[in-house]
Amino acid sequence: MGVFDKGTILGFTENVSQDLIDENCSRLVQILTSSITDLSKKNAIISKGIQVVPINEFATGAITPISSLDVFLVIKSPQIELNTVKVVKNKFKSFWERLKFAWKKSRIKKKRKRRNKNITEQTTLNAQLKGKYDINDLCLDLVNTISNYITPLSIVSSTNAVVSITGDDFSFPVNVYPAIKKENTYSVYNKILNKFFEYNFTERFENLKEMASGKEDKVLNLIKIYNMLYFNLYNKALYQPFVESLIYNLPDNIFESDDIYEVFIRSINFLNNARWQDFVSILDKTKPMFKDERLQFSLFDTLDFIKNVKNNL
């Protein structure tokens, strides 16, 4: 018998208390609102009004005991995005300047005076960069401010421009992504790739709603199952727009059965033999799934996941 038998798969679809969900969401909004209000009094670049937008299973309702509460903290401050882009460009330019200098130094012995000149120039550049308030500064300020509103038994930290809260204050791990509000999109910084990405969740949820019409419970349960499978196999959460994209590309006949376990088996068999070049992103159905960097998942990772699921059934 495999690790994931029918009873285990069906157990993945159990509901989480709605009262618990509402309590955690309400507390997070309260803490973030208070924190941004405090920061706006000290820094004119930060606007007091915010939105807190759930971006994972808390947005769709496919919440499981291993879910994290991931949100966009939406602020109206295009200057922070502009400053971040400038810092990234200057750091990139500085990197190449240092690289060229190191290369020249390895080939030609430099005079000490020349070396000192380069060091002085670099110090001046760093001083200039320090004066720009960017997304990284905002995250550090959020860490310091949020710490005033949580208990000593909770920990708040910032990694890769994401603010995380764990501990007794919340029943779920919390991840806060600062986002810049634009007309119809949210602009979110990916520190690993050193760039901002635009997100239009209206299209995402319209696509999901259209696909799930008449089979909402089956779709939500299937999302839960794949979330739990991934967590059990890799000990980390599966990025939601990715799993939604997988399910969005399933044909309608997968959902014809009223037995969710049979629906799951049909789906994994289909994915195991899928024409991946035909899959599109739920964030933008005009874009191939594996060319949308926002989904944060490669074809290799996908194939490995599907193979691992099949091997453990």
Side-chain angles (χ1 to χ4, degrees):
M1 180 178 292
V3 175
F4 304 119
D5 58 18
K6 182 175 182 179
T8 303
I9 296 297
L10 293 178
F12 290 160
T13 65
E14 292 182 5
N15 293 326
V16 175
S17 165
Q18 188 61 49
D19 289 340
L20 185 66
I21 295 168
D22 293 342
E23 177 185 333
N24 278 262
C25 291
S26 177
R27 176 154 177 71
L28 181 58
V29 170
Q30 182 182 31
I31 288 174
L32 293 179
T33 300
S34 298
S35 297
I36 289 295
T37 299
D38 290 349
L39 290 178
S40 67
K41 294 175 182 178
K42 303 174 183 178
N43 192 336
I45 204 172
I46 300 175
S47 174
K48 185 167 63 174
I50 65 167
Q51 288 178 278
V52 179
V53 181
I55 61 174
N56 61 347
E57 49 263 55
F58 278 82
T60 62
I63 302 164
T64 69
I66 55 89
S67 293
S68 58
L69 176 49
D70 295 357
V71 300
F72 281 172
L73 172 59
V74 184
I75 60 176
K76 297 178 180 178
S77 183
Q79 187 63 44
I80 290 180
E81 179 179 3
L82 179 62
N83 289 348
T84 305
V85 171
K86 285 182 177 179
V87 168
V88 169
K89 287 181 178 179
N90 285 335
K91 283 183 177 178
F92 187 72
K93 180 180 178 182
S94 173
F95 168 77
W96 282 110
E97 291 296 330
R98 293 197 305 271
L99 187 65
K100 286 190 293 183
F101 176 69
W103 183 78
K104 289 179 180 178
K105 184 178 177 182
S106 67
R107 294 177 61 87
I108 304 173
K109 186 176 180 180
K110 297 293 183 180
K111 293 181 180 180
R112 183 176 298 275
K113 182 178 179 181
R114 176 62 179 169
R115 288 202 303 270
N116 288 339
K117 181 177 185 295
N118 277 273
I119 293 171
T120 302
E121 289 174 349
Q122 183 58 38
T123 303
T124 303
L125 177 60
N126 287 336
Q128 292 172 347
L129 293 176
K130 191 174 180 181
K132 296 293 186 181
Y133 190 87
D134 63 12
I135 205 80
N136 301 296
D137 298 319
L138 173 61
C139 286
L140 291 176
D141 281 348
L142 280 171
V143 168
N144 293 328
T145 309
I146 289 172
S147 65
N148 297 324
Y149 293 98
I150 58 177
T151 67
L153 296 177
S154 290
I155 298 173
V156 56
S157 60
S158 176
T159 305
N160 292 330
V162 181
V163 176
S164 301
I165 308 172
T166 57
D168 285 1
D169 281 81
F170 295 95
S171 305
F172 309 90
V174 172
N175 295 303
V176 179
Y177 296 76
I180 310 302
K181 181 72 170 75
K182 296 192 173 178
E183 186 174 354
N184 296 312
T185 63
Y186 307 119
S187 186
V188 180
Y189 180 57
N190 184 310
K191 190 169 185 176
I192 296 175
L193 297 178
N194 267 342
K195 62 192 290 189
F196 279 87
F197 287 100
E198 300 296 318
Y199 291 84
N200 181 346
F201 282 167
T202 300
E203 181 174 355
R204 169 192 171 190
F205 293 128
E206 284 179 352
N207 290 337
L208 190 61
K209 181 179 179 181
E210 179 185 5
M211 186 274 295
S213 179
K215 49 183 181 291
E216 289 83 359
D217 288 344
K218 297 176 188 177
V219 170
L220 289 180
N221 282 328
L222 204 54
I223 293 175
K224 289 181 181 181
I225 289 170
Y226 279 105
N227 284 340
M228 293 292 289
L229 286 169
Y230 190 81
F231 183 84
N232 277 273
L233 289 168
Y234 300 93
N235 198 32
K236 58 183 178 180
L238 185 59
Y239 186 59
Q240 283 310 282
F242 167 77
V243 72
E244 290 168 17
S245 294
L246 278 185
I247 295 172
Y248 180 74
N249 286 279
L250 296 175
D252 288 339
N253 61 12
I254 297 293
F255 298 92
E256 288 179 352
S257 174
D258 291 328
D259 184 340
I260 188 60
Y261 181 73
E262 185 176 344
V263 171
F264 162 68
I265 293 299
R266 289 180 179 182
S267 71
I268 197 68
N269 286 335
F270 176 83
L271 293 174
N272 192 51
N273 298 284
R275 284 173 47 88
W276 296 106
Q277 63 269 30
D278 297 334
F279 277 45
V280 298
S281 169
I282 199 164
L283 299 175
D284 181 355
K285 60 185 180 182
T286 67
K287 183 174 291 189
M289 181 173 171
F290 294 104
K291 290 187 177 181
D292 191 339
E293 291 181 286
R294 296 170 296 178
L295 296 183
Q296 305 178 14
F297 226 69
S298 70
L299 178 56
F300 175 82
D301 293 330
T302 305
L303 295 175
D304 184 71
F305 174 42
I306 301 302
K307 178 182 176 181
N308 267 341
V309 172
K310 288 283 290 185
N311 288 344
N312 284 280
L313 289 176

